[in-house]
């Protein structure tokens, strides 16, 4: 499979980050991040908690502001201009640890809201698209329920469908399985694997190393706000170079 | 128990079973709620006795009540020393209690009609799922229709007022893409300028398409309380939302205007604001300008309650998880869309009990206008009715009646809000 998906990666740059720095007050969260993501790449970002991996992907769709350096998403330079930010956000889908579905709207309304209001898609068309993606994540029958009536795994799959309804070119996953019961993790991972096979550009912050081995074509290890090591999954897991990476892998795969 | 007995394998899964059958019905309810213990039984009996005594001692007052009599002395003659209420004051002064003592009696139908239309206007707002959305057009026109019916005068005045609102809405829709906060302020200024200019147009055309005009000082009775209550609640809710959002604004100027406004208005008693409206405001206005007293009172009460509502809504906004804001942002919704579609529906739902609290309090506080010599229902009772030679000394019946009117309205509001909360419950806890 690795060889086959390898071919989908193009030379086209999806995200370009150069010398990016971010501070929370005086705390230096991200330090000189350089990262180029090509269209069709599937990148897993791992690292101990507090290493800045979530902050990094949240900078890509401007949920967090960076103070120094450049981020270019799909050819658009991320600046303080609200129009630019909204444009980038509508091109970049995001899936959160805690799903963040809108509890006052039905599953269908959750999925059609942004296409109708941001993309100005007619309601009928938006509903058809939503149904298509709900079928893809295998919960079309729940379309008229409210998020509160669904299990965690189902909610997370709806959240993925909601992002896909905007037809994003890049998907960001911020620990999508960390808040789930163990038995529901696989249904969400299956959806993500399916997405990867279709050639979606993905950046995933996750602790699921099995997923990383299977799907990623690049694993990035972060610690203390810096990219410590990045490599293809085979090399990364079997032959880690840095001591920090070795320690982290021994802790996470130790038992 | 031996160690070998710890091993266990279930061969059959247990089917779902109904809960044990319990006896239900009145007897069980009585036993559980009223006579569950000797102490409880004693309490029940004592309370029943107290309730019985209250009913026995007040019943004659209602049963012997006199409903027709020209004055208190005549009423007492009819009663012949028996205990009984002189409800005749209500029937005899009915119109005064409702409309005040100077509203032309041949025009009572106009505020009456406005009152009936209020229900049609409010229906699609209060029960959005039952009534068609098109009725909202009438709701939008209602304030201008009601104004014309109650005050009369030239039709041009409400028409130009409506045009002013439309001008404001147009300016807002043009500006909102730039910045929502600035758009609101500019739209408000545009509407205000339009209204001031239109004053020069309508002033010389007093008699164009005019019906008989009634001055504000001629209005009174429960009508004033209802008018102030309805207008101030419906104005202070949107204003409160804007203040609450403004207080969270990232623009320091907007934020500080809102903070200062809220903190100042909340920090002074309503009654002082009403005195300001009545007396002091006149000093700041150019001489000769006739700034309607009811309008001044509406502005003051609206400002007062919107400051409270803003804080209630701020509580609702604070209760929302940050994830909701982030999810809205990550989908590319702009600020106005995120607020309108995601944040406010949830924050307002959380704030319903607090908002209703403020609304009910506001409605009852409208009786404070009697202190600045407006003849609302309390003003009418304390002034013209109790001061008259016929009805001097009838306190219980009159104030009891005022209480009943307010209670019915406030209880209705409370019941509606609870129904609304049940309707909006989607979290299935």
């Amino acid at each position: 499979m690795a060889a086959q998906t390898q071919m989908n990666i193009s030379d086209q740059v999806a995200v370009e980050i150069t010398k990016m720095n971010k501070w929370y007050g005086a705390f230096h969260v991200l330090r000189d991040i350089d990262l180029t993501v090509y269209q069709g790449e599937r990148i897993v970002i791992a690292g101990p908690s507090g290493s800045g991996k979530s902050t990094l992907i949240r900078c890509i769709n401007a949920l967090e502001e960076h103070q120094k350096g450049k981020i270019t998403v799909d050819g658009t330079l991320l600046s303080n201009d609200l129009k630019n930010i909204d444009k980038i956000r509508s091109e970049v889908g995001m899936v959160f640890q805690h799903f963040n579905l809108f509890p006052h709207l039905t599953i269908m309304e959750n999925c059609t809201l942004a296409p109708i209001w941001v993309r100005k898609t007619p309601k009928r068309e938006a509903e058809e698209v939503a149904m298509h993606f709900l079928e893809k994540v295998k919960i079309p029958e729940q379309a008229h329920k409210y998020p509160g009536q669904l299990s965690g795994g189902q909610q997370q799959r709806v959240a993925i469908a909601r992002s896909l309804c905007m037809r994003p070119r890049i998907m960001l996953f911020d620990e999508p399985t960390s808040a789930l019961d163990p038995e529901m993790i696989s249904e969400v991972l299956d959806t993500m694997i399916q997405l990867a096979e279709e050639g979606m550009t993905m950046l995933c912050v996750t602790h699921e190393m099995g997923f990383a081995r299977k799907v990623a074509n690049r694993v990035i290890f972060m610690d203390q706000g810096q990219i410590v090591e990045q490599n293809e999954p085979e090399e990364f897991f079997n032959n880690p170079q840095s001591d920090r990476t070795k320690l982290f892998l021994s802790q996470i795969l130790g038992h | 128990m031996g160690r070998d007995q710890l091993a266990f394998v279930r061969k059959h899964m247990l089917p779902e079973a109904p809960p044990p059958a319990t006896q239900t019905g009145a007897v069980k309810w009585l036993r559980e709620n009223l006579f569950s213990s000797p102490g409880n039984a004693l309490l029940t009996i004592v309370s029943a006795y107290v309730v019985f005594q209250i009913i026995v001692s007040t019943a004659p007052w209602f049963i012997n009540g006199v409903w027709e009599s020209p004055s208190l002395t005549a009423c007492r003659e009819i009663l012949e020393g028996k205990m009984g209420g002189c409800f005749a004051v209500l029937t005899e002064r009915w119109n005064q209690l409702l409309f005040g003592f100077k509203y032309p009696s041949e025009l009572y139908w106009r505020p009456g009609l406005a009152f009936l239309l209020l229900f049609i206007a409010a229906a699609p707002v209060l029960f959005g799922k039952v009534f068609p959305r098109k009725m909202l057009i009438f709701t939008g026109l209602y304030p201008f229709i009601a104004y014309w019916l109650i005050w009369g005068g030239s039709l041009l005045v409400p028409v130009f007022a409506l045009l002013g609102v439309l001008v404001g809405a147009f300016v807002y829709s043009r500006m909102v893409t730039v910045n929502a906060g600035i758009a609101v302020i500019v739209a408000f200024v545009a509407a205000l300028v339009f209204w001031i200019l239109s004053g020069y147009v309508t002033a010389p055309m007093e008699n164009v398409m005019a019906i008989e005009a009634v001055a504000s000082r001629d209005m009174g009775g429960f009508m004033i309380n209802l008018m102030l209550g309805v207008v101030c609640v419906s104005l202070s809710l949107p204003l409160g939302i804007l203040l609450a959002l403004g207080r969270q604004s990232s623009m320091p100027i907007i934020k500080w205007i809102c903070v200062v406004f809220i903190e100042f208005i909340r920090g002074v008693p309503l009654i002082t604001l009403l005195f300001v409206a009545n007396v002091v405001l006149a000093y700041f206005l150019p001489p000769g300008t006739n700034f309607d007293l009811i309008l001044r009172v509406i502005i003051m009460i609206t400002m007062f309650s919107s400051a409270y509502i803003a804080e209630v809504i701020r509580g609702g906004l604070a209760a929302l998880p940050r994830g909701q804001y982030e999810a809205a942002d990550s989908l590319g919704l702009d600020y106005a869309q995120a607020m309108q579609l995601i944040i406010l529906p949830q924050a307002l739902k959380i704030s319903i009990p607090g908002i209703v609290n403020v609304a009910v309090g506001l409605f009852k506080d409208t009786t404070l206008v009697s202190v600045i010599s407006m003849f609302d229902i309390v003003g009418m009772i304390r002034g013209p009715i109790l001061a008259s030679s016929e009805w001097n000394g009838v306190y219980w019946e009159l104030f009891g009646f005022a209480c009943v009117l307010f209670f019915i309205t406030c209880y209705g509001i409370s019941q509606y809000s609870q129904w609304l909360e049940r309707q909006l419950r989607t979290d299935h806890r």
Side-chain angles (χ1 to χ4, degrees):
Chain A
M1 191 185 88
Q4 178 210 334
T5 46
Q6 209 72 36
M7 288 191 302
N8 294 338
I9 299 168
S10 68
D11 298 337
Q12 217 182 337
V13 176
V15 181
E16 171 109 65
I17 301 175
T18 40
K19 292 264 173 260
M20 193 259 280
N21 281 269
K22 173 169 178 63
W23 288 264
Y24 283 128
F27 177 55
H28 201 172
V29 203
L30 294 175
R31 307 176 194 178
D32 276 350
I33 301 286
D34 281 303
L35 177 66
T36 306
V37 182
Y38 293 95
Q39 200 66 253
E41 264 202 299
R42 297 162 308 279
I43 295 178
V44 163
I45 304 171
S49 62
S51 59
K53 44 192 197 313
S54 287
T55 312
L56 170 60
I57 67 165
R58 288 158 62 88
C59 281
I60 295 175
N61 67 349
L63 282 186
E64 303 279 356
E65 215 178 339
H66 61 282
Q67 278 90 29
K68 231 176 104 185
K70 276 203 292 191
I71 302 181
T72 313
V73 181
D74 220 21
T76 312
L77 180 69
L78 194 54
S79 61
N80 278 331
D81 186 358
L82 285 175
K83 287 233 169 67
N84 264 350
I85 291 179
D86 282 339
K87 180 173 180 295
I88 286 173
R89 281 173 176 167
S90 62
E91 301 293 332
V92 179
M94 180 143 192
V95 176
F96 298 88
Q97 180 177 2
H98 296 286
F99 331 135
N100 295 351
L101 294 177
F102 306 128
H104 63 301
L105 301 175
T106 62
I107 301 306
M108 180 55 91
E109 288 165 339
N110 263 282
C111 292
T112 56
L113 183 107
I116 289 174
W117 289 84
V118 179
R119 292 248 192 272
K120 314 288 177 204
T121 317
K123 191 168 177 236
R124 286 279 307 268
E125 199 185 318
E127 283 180 351
E128 279 166 22
V129 172
M131 214 56 204
H132 167 75
F133 284 112
L134 285 175
E135 270 161 25
K136 197 161 176 177
V137 301
K138 303 193 180 67
I139 29 179
E141 69 282 359
Q142 314 281 14
H144 296 289
K145 288 190 181 169
Y146 286 95
Q149 291 165 292
L150 270 54
S151 74
Q154 288 174 324
Q155 290 194 43
Q156 193 60 296
R157 283 184 284 153
V158 170
I160 295 174
R162 177 177 72 177
S163 296
L164 292 177
C165 283
M166 285 295 279
R167 309 263 187 203
R169 295 164 63 78
I170 301 158
M171 284 286 283
L172 308 175
F173 292 85
D174 188 1
E175 304 201 24
T177 55
S178 299
L180 294 176
D181 289 338
E183 66 210 77
M184 293 171 182
I185 290 178
S186 67
E187 63 185 56
V188 171
L189 289 182
D190 285 345
T191 310
M192 290 167 64
I193 292 169
Q194 193 188 351
L195 207 56
E197 283 167 356
E198 287 164 13
M200 175 66 79
T201 311
M202 294 164 71
L203 277 95
C204 312
V205 172
T206 181
H207 298 298
E208 297 295 329
M209 290 303 130
F211 172 79
R213 265 181 203 277
K214 200 167 173 185
V215 174
N217 60 304
R218 180 151 44 130
V219 180
I220 292 176
F221 175 70
M222 285 183 73
D223 195 16
Q224 294 177 4
Q226 297 149 68
I227 294 179
V228 174
E229 186 166 349
Q230 54 174 317
N231 214 331
E232 288 184 358
E234 283 300 306
E235 276 294 299
F236 179 83
F237 288 111
N238 300 336
N239 190 16
Q241 300 297 311
S242 128
D243 291 339
R244 288 181 187 284
T245 318
K246 285 175 192 163
L247 178 67
F248 176 74
L249 286 176
S250 75
Q251 280 165 342
I252 204 167
L253 304 170
H255 45 85
Chain B
M1 186 153 81
R3 194 161 149 64
D4 52 311
Q5 279 170 310
L6 281 173
F8 169 75
V9 177
R10 181 172 289 287
K11 301 240 169 47
H12 308 285
M13 297 303 275
L14 295 176
E16 205 174 321
T22 45
Q23 75 279 33
T24 49
V27 179
K28 188 198 171 211
W29 187 88
L30 281 176
R31 204 177 274 165
E32 272 187 1
N33 293 290
L34 299 180
F35 301 101
S36 58
S37 69
N40 213 335
L42 189 68
L43 268 180
T44 302
I45 292 166
V46 171
S47 333
Y49 179 73
V50 170
V51 171
F52 173 76
Q53 279 299 318
I54 290 174
I55 292 174
V56 163
S57 54
T58 55
W61 192 70
F62 287 103
I63 295 168
N64 297 338
V66 177
W67 290 91
E68 260 175 86
S69 145
S71 71
L72 183 61
T73 32
C75 171
R76 290 206 170 122
E77 275 167 25
I78 297 171
L79 281 169
E80 294 172 328
K82 277 185 299 180
M83 182 184 160
C86 281
F87 301 114
V89 67
L90 304 181
T91 49
E92 216 241 353
R93 297 296 176 103
W94 177 256
N95 286 328
Q96 287 194 357
L97 286 167
L98 293 190
F99 300 104
F101 64 119
K102 281 198 268 181
Y103 203 92
S105 57
E106 71 277 9
L107 299 180
Y108 283 159
W109 66 271
R110 281 182 6 196
L113 179 62
F115 180 64
L116 290 180
L117 290 177
L118 172 64
F119 289 95
I120 301 175
V125 179
L126 300 182
F127 304 98
K129 282 181 185 160
V130 187
F131 295 93
R133 280 185 74 86
K134 279 196 182 132
M135 279 175 71
L136 284 172
I137 299 171
F138 179 74
T139 310
L141 295 176
Y142 175 77
F144 308 100
I145 297 172
Y147 169 83
W148 194 49
L149 281 173
I150 294 172
W151 272 270
S154 168
L155 183 61
L156 290 178
V157 174
V159 166
F160 272 93
L162 175 60
L163 287 177
V165 173
L166 294 179
V167 165
F170 176 76
V171 171
Y172 174 80
S173 67
R174 277 294 134 110
M175 296 281 295
V176 70
T177 45
V178 184
N179 179 296
I182 292 175
V184 169
I185 295 174
V186 174
F188 181 73
V189 171
L192 206 61
V193 168
F194 182 88
W195 284 326
I196 292 170
L197 292 180
S198 70
Y200 293 105
V201 181
T202 51
M205 295 203 274
E206 263 175 10
N207 296 316
V208 179
M209 288 182 286
I211 53 176
E212 192 180 331
V214 183
S216 283
R217 62 178 176 280
D218 291 345
M219 299 186 186
F222 194 60
M223 181 176 85
I224 282 199
N225 300 106
L226 264 184
M227 264 162 30
L228 291 177
V230 171
V231 173
C232 295
V233 168
S234 30
L235 287 180
S236 61
L237 188 56
L239 192 58
I241 293 173
L242 290 180
L243 285 170
L245 293 179
R247 197 171 181 162
Q248 289 198 328
S249 172
S250 54
M251 299 180 76
I253 299 172
I254 291 181
K255 180 176 176 175
W256 285 109
I257 290 175
C258 293
V259 169
V260 168
F261 180 91
I262 292 171
E263 295 299 338
F264 175 73
I265 298 287
R266 270 201 322 168
V268 297
L270 176 59
I271 199 86
T272 56
L273 288 180
L274 290 177
F275 276 119
V276 168
N278 189 24
V279 187
V280 186
L281 222 52
Y283 288 113
F284 295 110
L285 296 168
T289 41
N290 179 25
F291 198 45
D292 192 276
L293 178 61
I294 289 187
L295 184 58
R296 279 182 273 167
V297 168
I298 284 176
I299 291 173
M300 284 303 174
I301 298 181
T302 303
M303 281 181 5
F304 188 75
S305 55
S306 63
Y308 277 86
I309 287 182
E311 287 299 276
V312 170
I313 292 173
R314 190 166 69 97
L317 289 170
L320 281 192
R322 258 179 65 83
Q324 292 292 311
Y325 292 85
E326 290 177 352
D329 283 346
S330 76
L331 286 169
L333 297 170
D334 63 31
Y335 176 81
Q337 290 169 337
M339 288 300 138
Q340 179 198 343
L341 301 167
I342 308 298
I343 305 302
L344 282 176
Q346 297 184 63
L348 289 179
K349 191 182 87 176
I350 300 172
S351 317
I352 287 174
I355 292 174
V356 169
N357 221 359
V358 175
V360 165
L362 176 158
F363 182 54
K364 292 183 297 182
D365 282 353
T366 57
T367 53
L368 285 176
V369 299
S370 64
V371 178
I372 54 165
S373 55
M374 280 171 78
F375 292 100
D376 76 313
I377 188 163
V378 171
M380 281 305 297
I381 293 172
R382 292 197 327 159
I385 297 179
L386 279 178
S388 69
S389 53
E390 296 95 340
W391 297 110
N392 191 353
V394 196
Y395 291 98
W396 283 91
E397 293 82 346
L398 286 166
F399 284 111
F401 175 67
C403 285
V404 167
L405 282 185
F406 277 101
F407 177 77
I408 290 172
T409 325
C410 294
Y411 186 69
I413 296 173
S414 155
Q415 286 298 306
Y416 169 75
S417 78
Q418 287 175 35
W419 174 85
L420 185 66
E421 278 185 70
R422 285 195 297 275
Q423 287 290 303
L424 295 177
R425 183 178 299 159
T426 57
D427 51 359
H428 304 279
R429 268 185 290 207

